[in-house]
Amino acid sequence: MSIPSGAPAAAPRVPEAVHRRRWAVLGVLMFSLLIVVLDNSILNVAVKTIASPAPTGIGATQSELEWAINSYTLVFAGLLFTAGLLGDRIGRKKVLLAGILVFGIGSALAALSTSPGQLITWRALMGFGAAFVMPATLAVLMNVFERDEQPKAIGIWAGSVGLGIAIGPITGGLLLEHFWWGSIFLVNVPVVVVALIAMAVLVPDSRDPNPGRVDPFGVVLSIVGLVLLVYGIIRGGELASFTDITVLAPLIGGLLVLTGFVWHEKRSSHPSIDISYFRKPAFSAAVAAIALVFFALMGVTFFSAFYLQSVRGYTALESGLLILPLAAAQMIFAPRARLVVDRFGARAVCTVGMLLVAAGLAAFALFGADTPLWVLCLVFFVQGTGMAHIMPPVTVAVMQALPRERAGSGSAINNTFRQVGGALGIAVLGSVLSTVYRSDIEGHLDAVPAGARDVAGESIEATLGVAEKLGPAGRPLIAAANDAFIGAMHVTALGSAAVALIGAAVVAAFLPGRPRAKAPEAPEESGERVLQS
């Protein structure tokens, strides 16, 4: 894959001992990444069970369920950038081991939670650990593979995300059918133990040999700015409004602090991140594409779960199985994306990938309560194919634009934009879904007691819960709820598709085109590895 002109000079070659075990190291990194991805996808299918009264669940309210998800997101997004910097400074292996250990402890404590408050707290601890795992895996990858093999390795790394998307809901469904709700967290513990042993044995340590002075003020600004921004986004999604003072205050505050962070970094003699990288159109386009694609996709992931389970009536396990085509497409095509990019260029491949994602999202605007399953599977496969041809090229563009010594910072930038984009997608598109649903269902709540109408109109789950209590009289309300949700889903899907089209325009305008043919490699250079061995 080509990278923007003016990229850093080639880094020193990887030591031979590390080079020989690079694929085993990649397997360990994928395993570590899988734990983090798996956990989020498992939780998405367990929310209904956790909301049930004890002993089935812990009686979490809708707001408490949202914060069980959001506490993880808030801590995770807020610390990503700092975690990448620490990895560059003190060693990526140390950071990776510490992050996995904290994640495992948080998982065990979350499994034993007896109240929603405890679950929210331990989920935040899991987010703390995950923030140190995600950037470290990609940073280690960049330091065990030579530049020409990095696109292939990143493609495989990205494909493992698809594997997590598939395994998570299926594993969660199986566990919930046979065990108590806490098993979805407890399953992480043995996986963490295996990962820790494998990392200690196989993964080499690496760091920036010349990290320079610490920039504590910049680090604090990045944490405060990101936490305020993500909190404002989450709060806006909760209220289905972005005009409330409790939403505007943290949003504006976060943007102001992050603006101050950029101003400080540009003038600092020892910045945490070189802001000049964002002046490169290809670099900025790559991180923008990451944010936009996850904005669009996470919003749809949010409402598709309710569509499949609440409207279509599928179980958590069945819903998980229906996501398999999306995951399969990512696992099939992501590792091979580099071959298509080498032939056609990152610009063409990513543009087509974005258009495929937009088409898949727009297709949800045509779905009804009885859309054939094969159509659902086809749309999910198209979405996965598009993602597989977006994430590897843009990740390569971000990571190869920075020196290998700053791989942790590059990975942190990549994952921060991804996380903020995803959180914004869930909040904004979730607000659109909620607003349209409420306006449509209000005219059908006449049969509901006056005191329960506000609750009944909050979401399709709330409406269906009230309808069940009404008995036979609630059947018309169930049909109205399904119709209102499908209508709201159509509007939200079109909004998601529009965001994906904006992403297509960005990558078409700024990503590099087809790479030039490379000159033949000198015999003495190609034989260097042989002589070293």
Side-chain angles (χ1 to χ4, degrees):
M1 293 179 188
S2 64
I3 61 168
S5 58
R13 296 185 74 86
V14 176
E16 183 61 29
V18 175
H19 180 77
R20 282 198 297 264
R21 66 176 190 269
R22 65 195 185 284
W23 296 110
V25 172
L26 178 59
V28 176
L29 297 177
M30 289 172 58
F31 195 57
S32 307
L33 180 66
L34 189 64
I35 299 171
V36 178
V37 177
L38 189 77
D39 177 75
N40 269 339
S41 55
I42 282 181
L43 183 59
N44 287 335
V45 301
V47 289
K48 292 179 69 174
T49 304
I50 295 173
S52 303
T56 303
I58 52 176
T61 65
Q62 181 73 21
S63 176
E64 289 167 339
L65 283 173
E66 289 175 358
W67 272 108
I69 297 172
N70 293 337
S71 62
Y72 179 98
T73 302
L74 188 64
V75 176
F76 182 53
L79 290 177
L80 270 172
F81 184 72
T82 302
L85 295 177
L86 283 175
D88 286 343
R89 180 169 291 275
I90 68 175
R92 288 124 192 171
K93 180 176 181 177
K94 296 183 184 69
V95 166
L96 188 57
L97 287 169
I100 284 287
L101 179 61
V102 170
F103 186 87
I105 293 171
S107 298
L109 293 171
L112 301 176
S113 299
T114 56
S115 70
Q118 290 181 7
L119 179 60
I120 291 168
T121 300
W122 302 133
R123 283 282 296 166
L125 182 63
M126 292 171 68
F128 184 94
F132 289 84
V133 174
M134 183 73 85
T137 58
L138 191 51
V140 171
L141 182 154
M142 299 300 290
N143 280 272
V144 299
F145 284 90
E146 299 290 5
R147 191 176 183 84
D148 59 343
E149 281 191 320
Q150 286 170 0
K152 179 180 180 181
I154 287 174
I156 296 172
W157 178 87
S160 67
V161 176
L163 183 63
I165 292 172
I167 293 178
I170 296 171
T171 304
L174 288 171
L175 289 172
L176 291 173
E177 284 190 0
H178 297 92
F179 304 100
W180 100 111
W181 68 268
S183 62
I184 66 170
F185 297 113
L186 199 62
V187 72
N188 292 332
V189 176
V191 180
V192 164
V193 172
V194 173
L196 284 171
I197 295 171
M199 283 179 207
V201 173
L202 290 172
V203 175
D205 204 0
S206 61
R207 69 181 75 183
D208 186 346
N210 300 298
R213 292 165 54 195
V214 179
D215 179 24
F217 186 59
V219 169
V220 171
L221 285 177
S222 71
I223 294 174
V224 173
L226 285 170
V227 168
L228 285 174
L229 179 64
V230 174
Y231 176 81
I233 292 169
I234 290 171
R235 183 64 177 160
E238 277 188 323
L239 299 178
S241 170
F242 284 83
T243 59
D244 190 275
I245 187 61
T246 60
V247 178
L248 287 176
L251 276 178
I252 295 172
L255 290 173
L256 289 175
V257 172
L258 290 175
T259 301
F261 169 73
V262 172
W263 183 88
H264 170 75
E265 294 300 293
K266 289 174 69 175
R267 286 157 180 77
S268 175
S269 60
H270 50 285
S272 299
I273 178 65
D274 189 347
I275 301 298
S276 65
Y277 286 114
F278 286 91
R279 295 173 185 166
K280 300 177 180 180
F283 181 87
S284 295
V287 294
I290 291 169
L292 288 169
V293 75
F294 273 89
F295 179 101
L297 202 65
M298 291 303 291
V300 170
T301 302
F302 176 76
F303 68 65
S304 65
F306 289 101
Y307 169 69
L308 293 173
Q309 295 186 44
S310 300
V311 177
R312 302 297 295 264
Y314 296 118
T315 65
L317 177 58
E318 290 168 341
S319 298
L321 290 171
L322 286 171
I323 304 295
L324 272 176
L326 185 148
Q330 289 197 56
M331 289 185 288
I332 292 169
F333 295 115
R336 297 168 175 81
R338 76 192 190 284
L339 302 175
V340 188
V341 172
D342 287 341
R343 181 169 183 179
F344 299 105
R347 179 189 303 157
V349 173
C350 290
T351 301
V352 172
M354 279 287 193
L355 292 175
L356 286 175
V357 170
L361 297 173
F364 274 89
L366 304 175
F367 286 1
D370 55 356
T371 300
L373 283 181
W374 70 266
V375 175
L376 292 176
C377 293
L378 178 62
V379 168
F380 282 131
F381 188 82
V382 168
Q383 287 181 324
T385 302
M387 286 287 292
H389 289 89
I390 298 168
M391 295 313 298
V394 296
T395 302
V396 169
V398 171
M399 296 304 296
Q400 289 193 345
L402 276 70
R404 178 178 282 166
E405 293 76 17
R406 306 302 299 274
S409 300
S411 180
I413 292 170
N414 176 78
N415 287 296
T416 298
F417 274 82
R418 169 179 172 168
Q419 195 67 24
V420 171
L424 194 58
I426 292 174
V428 174
L429 297 176
S431 298
V432 172
L433 182 76
S434 178
T435 301
V436 177
Y437 176 79
R438 287 178 182 179
S439 64
D440 287 349
I441 199 65
E442 279 180 358
H444 301 276
L445 298 178
D446 296 338
V448 178
R453 287 178 187 173
D454 287 342
V455 175
E458 285 182 356
S459 65
I460 185 173
E461 281 298 309
T463 308
L464 294 178
V466 171
E468 288 179 6
K469 294 178 182 178
L470 293 176
R475 290 175 185 171
L477 184 57
I478 293 175
N482 289 338
D483 290 341
F485 182 85
I486 290 173
M489 182 181 74
H490 290 169
V491 174
T492 309
L494 292 175
S496 303
V499 172
L501 288 175
I502 294 172
V506 170
V507 298
F510 298 110
L511 280 188
R514 185 175 180 178
R516 296 177 181 177
K518 295 180 180 179
E521 192 177 83
E524 58 270 18
E525 183 179 346
S526 61
E528 182 180 343
R529 182 69 68 187
V530 177
L531 291 175
Q532 286 181 352
S533 60

